[in-house]
């Protein structure tokens, strides 16, 4: 393999580049990014960077500059021609490849209705946090955050820490509900103690503006929240529009890949393409499964592990490639709480408290499906999670017919 193109210079793309070089790939490596920024890490954006305890220099992804890569920055890939083995760029250039790593990640999901021109933000990247921080530094003392998933909760925590009055609106009634069990309650209490006003169980009907600047949020229950600033934090959409003509399978916009991270063709054949591998938030991998099929992960550790393996498998080729065998793990911090999970806690049918004391802010809950462990979540009990990760690895080895060890 002489020419490899990596699309996306987030964590998955950079780890793929490092992995290619670590395997001894000495050919031409081109990394394409639609952002002008040097590669950076996203988890600190809504936490330490927004809070001011880290600088922009601190969030850069170390190692990216040592890849010996040709960088194409500020230019999007707009097409993948698998027959001619070319990545097409927005400026009309074409990059030939022997192998390509698709790691385009995701964009913040935009509000589907009308939005005022100014004062309504989303947060996914460095520029978004700069804009948000500029609003706060410019005097915004109030914010309404729409959506209490992990980004919304982290923003609420950091902004309230900066002295901003935060109202957090969540139509589904519970913050961090994907983690199940009692975590939502513990987080809601901590948020309340930090002065965050929670509006749970009611959604947003629309926005009011004055001269194009947001002045209030209208809720479905009829109430109106005056505010000069809104952050819409309602999840993400995979950045895969540009692959629509590629012939790849794109269920729910994710790039479907086999257990070895080779992208599957669409149109009924489903055959993996030996020259195209996938990693990170844009991927939906056959190796990450719940009872009803593959599950997409939007976690840092998944992007890192898939980037590393995707590159290794691309060089090895399908016959020698290894299956993706990573136990999912996730962490976040908010309101002084360290929250972690392993496995797929959202896919269980029974939750069991196995340690901790939710009233005291400590949770260790195991999630089971049909009696089998599928995930575990902790608040301030992180040291106990590694045993659950080992059990999950053991379950997986039994399922795949290999002997578990060290469980
Ligand atoms: C604010 C925030 C906080 C987070 N906090 C945590 C946390 O605490 N714990 C945790 O486990 N996970 C966290 N995550 C999730 C984690 O950061 C992601 O899972 C990870 O960044 C995904 O990496 P990626 O490389 O797949 O995608 P991305 O980081 O999205 O990188 C993809 C890159 O590709 C670029 N791109 C997209 N389309 C194109 C194109 N057509 N051409 C060229 N370039 C393109 C994008 O602009 C981007 O630069 C957080 C995410 C966010 C946004």
């Amino acid at each position: 393999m002489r020419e490899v193109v990596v699309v996306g210079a987030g964590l998955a793309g950079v780890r793929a580049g490092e992995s290619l070089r670590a395997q001894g790939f000495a050919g031409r490596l081109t990394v394409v990014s639609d952002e002008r920024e040097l590669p950076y890490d996203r988890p600190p954006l809504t936490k330490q960077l927004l809070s001011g305890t880290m600088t922009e220099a601190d969030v850069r992804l170390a190692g990216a500059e040592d890849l010996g890569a040709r960088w194409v920055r500020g230019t999007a890939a707009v097409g993948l021609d698998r027959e001619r083995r070319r990545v097409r760029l927005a400026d009309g250039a074409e990059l030939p490849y022997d192998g390509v790593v698709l790691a385009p990640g995701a964009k913040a999901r935009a509000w589907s209705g009308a939005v005022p021109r100014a004062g309504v933000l989303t947060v996914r990247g460095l520029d978004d946090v700069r804009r948000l921080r500029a609003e706060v530094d410019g005097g915004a003392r109030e914010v309404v955050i729409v959506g209490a998933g992990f980004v919304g909760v982290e923003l609420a925590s950091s902004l309230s820490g900066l002295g901003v009055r935060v109202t957090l609106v969540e139509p589904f009634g519970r913050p961090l509900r994907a983690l199940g069990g009692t975590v939502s309650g513990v987080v809601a209490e901590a948020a309340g103690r930090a002065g965050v006003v929670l509006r749970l169980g009611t959604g947003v009907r629309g926005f009011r503006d004055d001269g194009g600047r947001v002045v209030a949020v209208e809720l479905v229950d009829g109430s109106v929240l005056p505010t000069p600033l809104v952050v819409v934090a309602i999840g993400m959409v995979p950045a895969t529009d540009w692959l629509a003509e590629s012939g790849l399978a794109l269920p729910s916009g994710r790039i479907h890949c086999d257990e070895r991270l080779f992208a599957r063709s669409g149109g009924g054949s489903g055959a993996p393409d030996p020259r195209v591998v996938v990693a990170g938030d844009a991927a939906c991998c056959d190796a990450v499964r719940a009872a009803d099929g593959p599950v997409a992960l939007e976690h840092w550790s998944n992007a890192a592990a898939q980037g590393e393996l995707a590159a290794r498998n691309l060089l090895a080729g399908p016959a020698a490639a290894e299956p993706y065998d990573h136990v999912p793990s996730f962490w976040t911090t908010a309101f002084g709480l360290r929250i972690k999970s392993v496995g797929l806690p959202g896919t269980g049918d029974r939750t069991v408290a196995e340690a901790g004391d939710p009233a005291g802010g400590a949770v260790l809950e195991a999630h089971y499906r049909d009696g089998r462990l599928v995930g575990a979540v902790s608040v301030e009990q992180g040291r106990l999670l590694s045993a659950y990760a080992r059990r999950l690895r053991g379950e997986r080895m039994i399922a795949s017919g290999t002997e578990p060890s060290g469980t």
Side-chain angles (χ1 to χ4, degrees), residues 242-329:
W242 62 284
L243 291 168
E245 308 292 315
S246 66
L248 294 177
L250 300 170
S252 307
R254 311 240 179 207
I255 312 165
H256 187 189
C257 56
D258 73 359
E259 299 214 333
R260 289 163 174 75
L261 306 177
F262 290 96
R264 287 191 178 282
S265 302
S269 85
D273 184 329
R275 294 185 184 274
V276 183
V277 288
V278 190
D281 282 8
C284 177
C285 173
D286 282 343
V288 187
R289 305 187 77 84
D292 46 0
V295 176
L297 296 174
E298 299 156 14
H299 303 164
W300 190 96
S301 66
N302 176 66
Q306 285 191 340
E308 197 278 327
L309 182 67
R312 205 149 33 92
N313 283 350
L314 181 67
L315 294 181
E322 290 168 27
Y324 184 59
D325 181 28
H326 171 78
V327 173
S329 67

Side-chain angles (χ1 to χ4, degrees), residues 7-14 32-35 40-47 72 75-78 89 103-107 123-125 129 150-151 154 239-240 242 279-283 297-304 329-333:
V7 179
L11 180 66
V14 169
V32 183
S33 174
D34 61 0
E35 294 190 83
Y40 58 89
D41 211 11
R42 292 182 199 272
L45 298 183
T46 35
K47 309 178 191 74
V72 179
T75 307
V78 294
L89 301 184
K107 311 279 178 205
V123 174
R124 172 84 192 171
V129 174
F150 73 85
V151 169
E154 290 172 8
T240 57
W242 62 284
D281 282 8
L297 296 174
E298 299 156 14
H299 303 164
W300 190 96
S301 66
N302 176 66
S329 67
F330 170 77
W331 85 95
T332 182
T333 52

Side-chain angles (χ1 to χ4, degrees), residues 145-173:
I145 298 172
V146 182
F150 73 85
V151 169
V153 166
E154 290 172 8
L155 288 170
S157 170
S158 299
L159 289 169
S160 62
L162 290 171
V164 178
R165 283 189 301 280
V166 178
T167 304
L168 186 57
V169 180
E170 171 55 60
F172 292 104

